[in-house]
Amino acid sequence: MVMRSHRSADVAGRRVLLRADLNVPLAGTQVADDSRIRAALPTVRSLLERGARVVLVTHLGRPRGMPVEGLRVAPVADRLGSLLGRPVPVAPGVVGADVEAIAARLASGSVLLLENVRFEPGEERNDSILSRRLAALADVFVNDAFGAAHRAHASTVGVAEILPAYAGDLMLAEVRALGGLLSRPAAPFVAVLGGAKVSDKLGVIDTLLDRVDALLFGGGMANTFLAAEGDEIGRSLAEPDLADRARELLGRAADRGVSLLVPDDVVVAPSPDGPALTVGRDAIPADCSAFDIGPRTARTYSAVIATAKTVFWNGPLGMAEREAFARGTRAIAEAVAACAGTTVIGGGDSVAAVRASGLTDRIDHVSTGGGASLEFLEGRVLPGVAAIPDASPADSGPA
Ligand code: ADP
Ligand code: MG
């Protein structure tokens, strides 16, 4: 089913509580990367153009239920204001009489940003009193915060149970793109999984094994598979207690005719700062760690990606934040960008790597979700998604 869209709601003159994920990285009082603010713009702009009085709410960082000076939303309001071309005032708090008075006076077509919702101890507990106080600020609730949809918090779930709730454009786009990978991926479907640990990705590997034609592994997680197959991996990052799980996954992949590929060559070094050397997977020196896939592996993976009709990629293929170990990730980013099929990337570090390569425009869907994207692909029902009613047939006009 499809969540009902905010575009099917009559919002003119009404107060709309809009939950967005504007949890951007800060450098002091500056927004270091405004991607998430930009991703929220279509819904914000649409609501404003339709005459809504928008009360916007987000979390920022992990203040753990109390005000933290460095995590105030003022820098977010400044950047949003310059993107919208109009000032975005910040409320003196999250909820309460003062904030209610300001929200009540808000003019049609204008926006107010609440203070960091995680300053409230009730937020992460999905406290019903906080939910009611949030609901008191508006007539309608729109959730566009896909990145927070895997958490049942007051501002994602509690308030959706009180006010009429709708999904924002980003929420709908994320669920459409990621849902498409689960329900109707065009074959061949190739998934590339990297990143630090297998344990983070076991759930996704499980659901993907039933759907993909090929799984390509890289990054730290691939080391666990190399070790499980009997290679000496030196001091590489790995999870030896998952060796049995890794062998079981290799077996299941073989049973299903899924080609599960692990690196055939790797870039090793004694430490991330040490001199790098490319070696075969069976020649990792005892005093070295594998920090990237090697060029032969990158070529093999790129050739598989080139044939795909659907690609999902999560997790860098190596320690991509270091130039010496970024080549594998860059090669895969280029292969995914060049692929003619439907391409979806998720995961904080992989998305950052693709962005650094300037290739995001050539990817069909770059998920802003991180943890939420992975949980969605594990086949779990995300509480923030479940809290929004389905669209009725009458709503399903052109978006
Ligand atoms: P994402 O955020 O895209 O989901 P992860 O958070 O799972 O990705 O993984 C990213 C991290 O994995 C980075 O910090 C990177 O340095 C680390 N990493 C990747 N490959 C290796 C490796 N071979 N050895 C050690 N760390 C690695
Ligand atoms: Mg990460």
Side-chain angles (χ1 to χ4, degrees), residues 314-328:
N314 169 276
L317 284 292
M319 205 181 250
E321 58 272 32
R322 302 275 182 143
E323 184 49 37
F325 309 112
R327 285 207 190 94

Side-chain angles (χ1 to χ4, degrees), residues 125-138:
R125 292 202 305 260
N126 190 13
D127 176 71
S128 62
I129 295 172
L130 178 61
S131 300
R132 280 201 295 274
R133 294 171 91 193
L134 284 167
L137 299 172

Side-chain angles (χ1 to χ4, degrees), residues 22-39:
L22 309 180
N23 181 29
V24 290
L26 296 177
T29 59
Q30 297 291 312
V31 172
D33 175 353
D34 66 2
S35 313
R36 282 185 166 158
I37 301 177
R38 289 175 187 274

Side-chain angles (χ1 to χ4, degrees), residues 184-216:
R184 41 173 198 288
F189 179 6
V190 175
V192 187
L193 294 176
K197 291 154 90 191
V198 186
S199 49
D200 291 344
K201 318 266 155 124
L202 276 175
V204 185
I205 296 171
D206 263 336
T207 49
L208 290 178
L209 260 182
D210 293 332
R211 293 170 170 85
V212 296
D213 300 286
L215 271 178
L216 315 181

Side-chain angles (χ1 to χ4, degrees), residues 292-365:
D292 195 8
I293 58 170
R296 197 161 63 217
T297 303
R299 278 196 300 276
T300 306
Y301 285 12
S302 299
V304 176
I305 292 165
T307 66
K309 289 253 164 53
T310 308
V311 177
F312 173 68
W313 175 23
N314 169 276
L317 284 292
M319 205 181 250
E321 58 272 32
R322 302 275 182 143
E323 184 49 37
F325 309 112
R327 285 207 190 94
T329 300
R330 209 144 53 215
I332 297 308
E334 275 157 22
V336 175
C339 175
T342 302
T343 52
V344 179
I345 301 184
D349 294 288
S350 14
V351 169
V354 171
R355 229 167 235 130
S357 309
L359 295 168
T360 35
D361 290 350
R362 293 167 59 199
I363 310 295
D364 291 303
H365 184 77

Side-chain angles (χ1 to χ4, degrees), residues 242-265:
L242 289 178
D244 286 342
R245 251 346 272 285
R247 278 188 289 267
E248 180 202 317
L249 288 169
L250 288 161
R252 261 179 64 202
D255 291 346
R256 272 155 217 260
V258 171
S259 43
L260 197 165
L261 302 189
V262 297
D264 184 43
D265 60 344

Side-chain angles (χ1 to χ4, degrees), residues 6 24 62 80 112 119-120 129 132 151 221 234 284 345 359:
H6 72 102
V24 290
R62 297 180 169 276
L80 175 62
L112 168 74
F119 286 1
E120 286 292 327
I129 295 172
R132 280 201 295 274
R151 303 283 179 251
M221 62 169 279
I284 300 174
I345 301 184
L359 295 168

